Amino acid sequence: MARSIFAGGTDYRGQSIDDIKKDLIDTQDLLKKTVRLFEKDLEKLKELGKFKYMDFDFRASTYDLINFFKTSIDDIDLIIEGINNGLNNVHMNLLENMQRLSHEKNKHHRKMFRNYYNPEYRTLHFDIIEELYQEGGDVTASMFDLGNMVERLQQFIVDRRNEMSINITNNIDKVDNLQQNSGHATGYQYNQRCETQNDIDEIIYLLKDIAEKLDKENKEELLEYVEDFNEDLKSSTPRKSRIKSTWTSIKSKLTLESVANIATITTSIPNIIDMGEKIINQLA
């Protein structure tokens, strides 16, 4: 269907469910294309020897968008499956969550680019940076419409007492170990777990990036801690005591003078530590 020329301005209240499904598929295709473009551009920067000089905060925002787009691709799969087999309130929550996050990430990505000082303006290197900025802003803005679908799709929800629950066991490959022990989660719990998963993926990206800037010994030690941290967090039966112990080791490494003196990451270390503490606190 024809969408509004204004980001977030499309009115779906009078549209058919087939029109909405087509827009979801088109959005999913755009996200897949953008992920490929971002990964290709980042590889170009590495080939040019410019990746390590890329502004840390903007690079972190770019990797965060890649993760957000990949998660949204999987979420849209679940929504399309719901359209085909029966919608429920969890699907509505997913749409509203994507709309909310797209606003937040659009604003953040543009802010990080505005703060990006680079004397190599209009070089091939900076043209790639600008493409990451432009596409990131455009694609997140195109997702503003997703929440507008909810009012129309709610009309197709079957009225069942237990409709607020969704069995995500059969979709385990799509939701990356977000299941509860019972294999069921409410819409609220599902969204909370999705957000936690996004935080985990983001902090792993950032920690690995910091490790690449360290000397060989510190790099190898930090990467080992990070891998353990990642595996334990994504375990179907995470052990909080082990995770907290590994996180303590990571924090100790981050606060070493040799790490803190790396100018390109100093301002981001407190944010990374705050992010890690948030993840720890969210563990059951």
Side-chain angles (χ1 to χ4, degrees):
M1 62 161 283
R3 296 174 65 174
S4 171
I5 61 173
F6 300 106
T10 305
D11 185 356
Y12 286 97
R13 289 175 298 177
Q15 302 301 322
S16 71
I17 198 166
D18 286 338
D19 285 337
I20 294 176
K21 181 177 176 181
K22 182 180 184 305
D23 275 4
L24 285 169
I25 293 172
D26 288 345
T27 298
Q28 191 178 52
D29 289 342
L30 175 62
L31 293 175
K32 291 176 181 178
K33 178 181 177 182
T34 305
V35 168
R36 291 193 297 269
L37 175 66
F38 273 30
E39 292 176 341
K40 182 179 179 180
D41 279 350
L42 291 170
E43 191 59 36
K44 285 181 184 176
L45 289 171
K46 292 177 182 178
E47 292 173 358
L48 291 169
K50 298 293 185 178
F51 181 80
K52 61 183 177 181
Y53 301 112
M54 187 179 175
D55 178 80
F56 181 83
D57 290 328
F58 183 74
R59 176 169 49 184
S61 179
T62 300
Y63 275 115
D64 179 56
L65 284 184
I66 291 174
N67 178 65
F68 173 54
F69 293 156
K70 288 181 176 179
T71 300
S72 297
I73 289 167
D74 289 343
D75 286 350
I76 291 173
D77 267 341
L78 291 173
I79 296 163
I80 292 173
E81 183 177 329
I83 290 174
N84 293 334
N85 300 313
L87 287 163
N88 57 52
N89 285 319
V90 172
H91 300 116
M92 307 303 110
N93 291 337
L94 289 175
L95 286 166
E96 290 175 339
N97 188 58
M98 283 188 285
Q99 182 186 53
R100 177 179 61 80
L101 288 176
S102 64
H103 277 277
E104 293 176 6
K105 294 181 185 300
N106 178 277
K107 181 179 179 180
H108 178 74
H109 196 60
R110 289 188 292 110
K111 180 180 179 181
M112 293 303 99
F113 182 77
R114 286 197 300 270
N115 294 341
Y116 193 146
Y117 170 75
N118 194 300
E120 298 179 296
Y121 186 69
R122 285 305 173 195
T123 63
L124 173 59
H125 158 226
F126 203 76
D127 284 349
I128 297 173
I129 299 295
E130 283 194 311
E131 183 172 56
L132 291 170
Y133 158 69
Q134 187 67 50
E135 291 297 321
D138 289 349
V139 175
T140 49
S142 75
M143 298 174 71
F144 292 177
D145 280 330
L146 292 174
N148 299 350
M149 298 176 178
V150 171
E151 184 175 352
R152 175 60 170 154
L153 290 179
Q154 282 177 330
Q155 298 172 10
F156 296 92
I157 293 178
V158 178
D159 186 13
R160 297 171 183 160
R161 287 185 179 182
N162 297 324
E163 198 64 42
M164 286 295 290
S165 290
I166 181 171
N167 186 334
I168 62 172
T169 304
N170 294 332
N171 297 311
I172 188 64
D173 292 334
K174 297 178 182 177
V175 296
D176 294 330
N177 296 323
L178 298 180
Q179 75 274 29
Q180 292 179 304
N181 290 337
S182 65
H184 293 74
T186 65
Y188 171 78
Q189 292 166 327
Y190 179 86
N191 284 332
Q192 287 295 103
R193 288 169 180 260
C194 281
E195 290 178 15
T196 301
Q197 184 64 49
N198 289 342
D199 290 340
I200 292 172
D201 290 339
E202 181 175 357
I203 198 172
I204 296 303
Y205 270 127
L206 297 178
L207 290 170
K208 287 183 177 180
D209 189 80
I210 288 175
E212 292 299 324
K213 295 181 171 67
L214 304 180
D215 60 78
K216 183 178 179 181
E217 181 179 352
N218 282 318
K219 172 183 174 180
E220 291 178 351
E221 189 171 353
L222 180 56
L223 285 176
E224 184 176 346
Y225 288 142
V226 171
E227 290 301 329
D228 289 343
F229 189 57
N230 190 29
E231 289 178 9
D232 289 339
L233 285 171
K234 293 183 178 181
S235 169
S236 58
T237 54
R239 294 163 53 191
K240 189 171 183 179
S241 59
R242 175 181 167 89
I243 292 171
K244 290 180 68 175
S245 175
T246 305
W247 174 240
T248 299
S249 298
I250 291 174
K251 283 198 296 183
S252 298
K253 184 64 67 175
L254 292 178
T255 53
L256 287 175
E257 184 177 357
S258 59
V259 176
N261 285 338
I262 300 176
T264 57
I265 65 175
T266 300
T267 57
S268 295
I269 287 178
N271 293 335
I272 293 173
I273 291 177
D274 287 345
M275 189 185 304
E277 295 295 334
K278 175 185 173 184
I279 292 170
I280 296 296
N281 291 334
Q282 288 176 343
L283 293 176

